[in-house]
Amino acid sequence: MIKKTAVFFIILIFPLFYGCAGIQKAEIIEYKGPSIVWPSPPEKSRIKYLYSIWNLEAEGETFGDKVRAFWRGEGELDDITMSPTLVRPFGIYVDDKRLYITDTAALRVTVIDLKTKEVLNIGREDDQGRLEYPIAAVSDKSGNIYVSDVSRNLVLIYDEKGNYKNKLEGFKRPTGIGINQQKGLLYIIDTVENVVHVYDTKGTLQHEFGGNGESEGQFNYPTHIHVDENGFVYIVDSMNARVQIFDEQGNFISAFGSRSNAAGDFSKPKGIAVDTEGHLYVVDAEFDNVQIFDRKGQVLTFFGEAGSDAGAFWLPSGIAIDRLNRVYVADTHNQRIQVFQFLGGD
């Protein structure tokens, strides 16, 4: 009788440990209250809050998935890398198909299919491809994913399914990554060196620009970067409290911003992005908002405030904008991505 019971127990629990895991899908948390817009009426609205993303829960029993992984020797039941939610979203990138989120606490990159909402987590299994402190991620036209890791001082390269392929090395502290899709160029910031390294997507170094200082084209702790469709390069020069703009060769074009609490200036500038009309968006973690500028650096408006309600931020960091001018902001300490719509107009 004991043997029969044991066999029955093994048959019962085997599917739990080794059965197919549910497909993870991100939950879209729709806002059902009155419209949240900036600026407030009677001024013409330019930005509208849409929804947020926090829960990455699998369809089915998430705890069962964690138990299966535990018994396969792939993690602990309280392993934060197995969290079914965003933990500390930091960097963010969007292409035509997917949203890429670096999570500095969950030690992974979460990739969300914009159509199906299916979730792929990268960097928590393979030893060569493991992530220890991912900061930024971008993808190229072939679907390859490039991730900077400031703990390993590497840029790791994965295929579109999240399989480790290769790495770029020789950095002291690789942080922001931008990509020129037309030319196939990667712009990688080394924050400690105050230099931007430019590689092709085959991994060959093309050139470098920057250097420590306060003059035009020099940096003091650069962090975030964006490359627009015309090849212009926008870099957040954080300790100089400014944004600098370069051409694709790294030649200085212009700069704007200084350190103050005034509109148009910065305190702790973070992520930067550009919409289809050429407006620049700069996140400020101290202001808990996003300021919008024209190409000349004139501030046009802002959105967000300190808090945890819809449209409010707590130490936000990364930002990305898709071709439909949907604006994705990593609301880091509220553990979510908030999505807004640019409504058009200057």
Side-chain angles (χ1 to χ4, degrees):
M1 182 64 182
I2 294 177
K3 290 183 179 180
K4 289 183 179 180
T5 302
V7 171
F8 176 76
F9 178 73
I10 292 172
I11 293 173
L12 180 65
I13 67 172
F14 185 83
L16 176 64
F17 293 157
Y18 294 100
C20 294
I23 297 174
Q24 274 190 276
K25 287 193 175 185
E27 178 186 2
I28 302 302
I29 304 174
E30 302 282 357
Y31 176 72
K32 302 185 183 300
S35 293
I36 303 175
V37 295
W38 295 265
S40 301
E43 294 186 58
K44 183 178 179 180
S45 299
R46 307 297 185 188
I47 297 289
K48 180 180 180 180
Y49 173 79
L50 296 179
Y51 60 86
S52 65
I53 302 170
W54 170 73
N55 187 15
L56 309 174
E57 188 96 15
E59 292 182 338
E61 186 60 49
T62 299
F63 181 73
D65 291 345
K66 294 174 76 173
V67 170
R68 282 189 288 270
F70 173 74
W71 280 92
R72 290 194 300 266
E74 297 176 1
E76 301 295 333
L77 292 181
D78 60 350
D79 186 352
I80 197 169
T81 68
M82 302 291 289
S83 172
T85 67
L86 296 173
V87 183
R88 194 74 79 233
F90 187 82
I92 189 165
Y93 178 79
V94 65
D95 59 24
D96 291 338
K97 296 180 179 179
R98 304 199 290 183
L99 182 67
Y100 305 78
I101 306 162
T102 62
D103 195 315
T104 58
L107 312 181
R108 68 192 182 201
V109 175
T110 294
V111 183
I112 300 174
D113 186 292
L114 294 173
K115 183 177 181 180
T116 67
K117 304 302 182 292
E118 291 185 6
V119 172
L120 170 68
N121 285 312
I122 297 173
R124 65 186 189 188
E125 296 176 3
D126 182 79
D127 184 58
Q128 281 188 297
R130 78 184 185 282
L131 292 170
E132 295 181 359
Y133 205 100
I135 292 293
V138 298
S139 66
D140 65 20
K141 287 184 176 181
S142 299
N144 296 310
I145 303 164
Y146 305 82
V147 184
S148 59
D149 189 311
V150 297
S151 179
R152 299 186 66 187
N153 290 323
L154 300 172
V155 171
L156 294 97
I157 306 170
Y158 306 84
D159 66 19
E160 63 181 345
K161 295 181 180 180
N163 300 306
Y164 172 78
K165 291 180 65 176
N166 206 343
K167 65 180 181 292
L168 301 175
E169 52 191 344
F171 308 101
K172 291 185 177 179
R173 187 176 176 84
T175 52
I177 307 178
I179 185 166
N180 183 324
Q181 296 286 4
Q182 285 70 33
K183 299 292 181 66
L185 295 174
L186 292 166
Y187 294 76
I188 303 169
I189 292 176
D190 192 314
T191 296
V192 170
E193 289 191 324
N194 293 292
V195 167
V196 178
H197 305 276
V198 184
Y199 289 80
D200 63 24
T201 51
K202 296 179 181 179
T204 303
L205 180 65
Q206 301 296 303
H207 60 92
E208 302 171 337
F209 62 94
N212 181 239
E214 300 178 356
S215 300
E216 294 178 350
Q218 294 183 322
F219 304 115
N220 186 5
Y221 212 81
T223 52
H224 294 73
I225 186 170
H226 177 76
V227 182
D228 70 15
E229 291 188 343
N230 297 313
F232 293 107
V233 181
Y234 307 82
I235 296 177
V236 175
D237 187 9
S238 64
M239 295 304 292
N240 284 327
R242 64 185 178 184
V243 169
Q244 296 199 66
I245 305 174
F246 302 83
D247 66 17
E248 66 181 49
Q249 296 300 318
N251 298 308
F252 174 83
I253 296 176
S254 62
F256 65 90
S258 60
R259 192 175 306 282
S260 83
N261 292 325
D265 283 337
F266 306 113
S267 181
K268 292 183 179 179
K270 296 287 187 178
I272 187 167
V274 178
D275 67 26
T276 61
E277 295 186 12
H279 305 112
L280 281 67
Y281 297 62
V282 183
V283 176
D284 197 298
E286 181 72 21
F287 298 159
D288 286 308
N289 71 10
V290 179
Q291 297 188 85
I292 305 176
F293 301 83
D294 64 18
R295 270 294 301 273
K296 296 180 180 179
Q298 297 298 311
V299 65
L300 303 174
T301 189
F302 74 92
F303 61 95
E305 61 183 7
S308 58
D309 293 336
F313 301 114
W314 183 10
L315 297 178
S317 50
I319 187 170
I321 303 174
D322 66 19
R323 294 182 185 274
L324 299 177
N325 283 329
R326 289 175 297 206
V327 183
Y328 304 80
V329 181
D331 187 9
T332 302
H333 284 261
N334 279 324
Q335 301 179 292
R336 63 188 178 184
I337 302 300
Q338 297 203 71
V339 185
F340 305 81
Q341 180 69 57
F342 172 61
L343 302 174
D346 294 327

